[in-house]
Amino acid sequence: MTISLLNRRTGAAATATALALASLAALAGTATPASASGRATAASATALAPASAAASPAADNPASGEPAAPSALSLPRPTGPYATGRDTLFLTDHERTDPWVPAAGARRLLVSLHYPARPGSGGDPAPYMPEAEARLMLAQRGLDDPEWPGLVAATRTYSRTDARPAPGRFPLVLLSPGFGTPRATLTGLAEELASRGYVVATADHPYESTGTELPDGRVLPCAACDEVDAQPDDAGRRTVLAAVSAGRAADFSFLLDRLTGPRPAWRHARTIDARRVGMAGHSIGGNAAASTMAADQRVDAGVNMDGTFFDPVTARGLDRRPFLMLGTDPGHAPGAGDTSWDEGWARLDGFKRWLTVRESGHFTFTDTPAIGEQLGIVDPDAPLSAARSTTITRAYVTAFFDRSLRGRPARMLDGPTPAHPEVLFQRP
């Protein structure tokens, strides 16, 4: 994978950026991750080259001779008919000890809840992520520009804090991020789903991200990343990553209890229709969607966005519940490097679709393309634009949940469409 920085200085720091981003892509959902924490390795990337100045979203600074950093970043605007609100929950599962740091005590979860809201209600736009989390996420990728953590943390969202829920009850969608990646990176998808009439709960899994900031200001490191890196071989790494996926299934079963049980933890829990629950995830989070469905019958449908099934789909299938596999092409095409998709496909026993996207990359299905493009970061090996990445991800994930949870027609899932020529329907 080649990373280009639009209108940025080249040299040792830029080369480190390319190495770090390439090793992270190798980590988080391909068949054999070389470094699960995304630490750079010299063999993991090709050369970095600057792109043309005309392509940059940032204006040059004529006084200094250096390109100016963008003054503000923003996510793509949601397209649904609802305004959206956002709450945050900090939950503790007193029946489980944290699997990565037992000395920390009970397992804890930080959860963002996006929901359909009444227009004009609420306070300020919800913050994207804490600056400490942004700094650690960027540092892991070798992106050490001192201005960028503040810019990323301040990325504009479209959900309001303290917004009043829209009337009615809505299906619930659970979202799980990639390994080593904060939950904020799925905000764009969460806002889109909420704008289309879903309650969306996106969880941070402590010690599985570059950094998770707790309400008291402490920042938890990625202990699970260290555990993966400590393994002597690929088989050991895969075993740990399978445990990550299975552990997330336990996290989401607990979260479902706290959202839909007799004494719910969320003040607007009455807006959730607990009879209609779906789950989607990116990378290891996509594997966790299948793991959660295998462990918890309450989850009615699942989506894996470019994640290896380290924890395999069970031999008995998923009790005929629908599942969508949405990945890169050719990396997640039939017979390509990730054989877990071929094996998983054969075991899925309900409505299922296997879609791959031309010119995409591992992070196509997250906020990374939109934010990276505004910062002047491009990947020539994944040239799909941020606009197309966003449109495709939103369209197919929403159509799948509309069909699976609402019984609505979703003709775009029947086969190729001229509106999305990059999307290939695989029929192995």
Side-chain angles (χ1 to χ4, degrees), residues 129-355:
M129 69 163 62
E131 187 167 341
E133 290 186 7
R135 182 177 297 107
L136 290 166
M137 180 182 70
L138 292 166
Q140 182 199 44
R141 291 146 175 79
L143 302 173
D144 56 359
D145 188 307
E147 295 182 3
W148 284 3
L151 285 169
V152 171
T155 297
R156 180 185 177 183
T157 70
Y158 292 91
S159 299
R160 298 278 176 174
T161 59
D162 296 320
R164 289 184 295 149
R169 301 183 71 203
F170 304 97
L172 172 65
V173 173
L174 310 172
L175 291 182
S176 187
F179 189 59
T181 307
R183 72 187 189 279
T185 56
L186 294 178
T187 298
L189 178 58
E191 290 192 325
E192 175 69 11
L193 288 167
S195 80
R196 292 184 171 272
Y198 292 88
V199 174
V200 185
T202 311
D204 253 334
H205 308 272
Y207 300 110
E208 297 175 20
S209 170
T210 48
T212 302
E213 184 174 295
L214 301 182
D216 62 8
R218 288 181 294 154
V219 179
L220 305 182
C222 191
C225 298
D226 295 335
E227 182 69 20
V228 172
D229 284 345
Q231 300 306 305
D233 53 28
D234 184 62
R237 289 188 288 271
R238 286 175 168 272
T239 297
V240 175
L241 289 167
V244 171
S245 186
R248 291 190 178 193
D251 288 344
F252 279 108
S253 287
F254 164 70
L255 178 57
L256 277 172
D257 291 341
R258 300 300 290 122
L259 291 178
T260 65
R263 292 190 297 274
W266 184 39
R267 58 180 173 165
H268 301 312
R270 67 185 181 279
T271 64
I272 295 173
D273 182 350
R275 300 167 300 173
R276 297 182 290 171
V277 179
M279 180 170 171
H282 171 245
S283 193
I284 198 74
N287 187 180
S291 297
T292 304
M293 290 178 70
D296 198 320
Q297 290 289 325
R298 291 175 292 180
V299 181
D300 302 303
V303 180
N304 179 352
M305 297 183 291
D306 212 52
T308 293
F309 290 103
F310 293 107
D311 183 27
V313 177
T314 62
R316 68 177 187 276
L318 296 175
D319 300 312
R320 304 188 65 81
R321 286 169 289 171
F323 202 89
L324 169 65
M325 303 192 320
L326 177 64
T328 53
D329 189 271
H332 273 119
D338 189 351
T339 59
S340 77
W341 276 42
D342 300 84
E343 296 161 0
W345 176 259
R347 293 180 171 183
L348 294 172
D349 56 348
F351 173 88
K352 59 184 178 179
R353 289 293 183 268
W354 183 342
L355 309 182

Side-chain angles (χ1 to χ4, degrees), residues 74-76 366-375 386 390:
S74 63
L75 297 178
T366 72
D367 297 341
T368 299
I371 291 176
E373 200 170 271
Q374 292 171 80
L375 290 173
T390 297

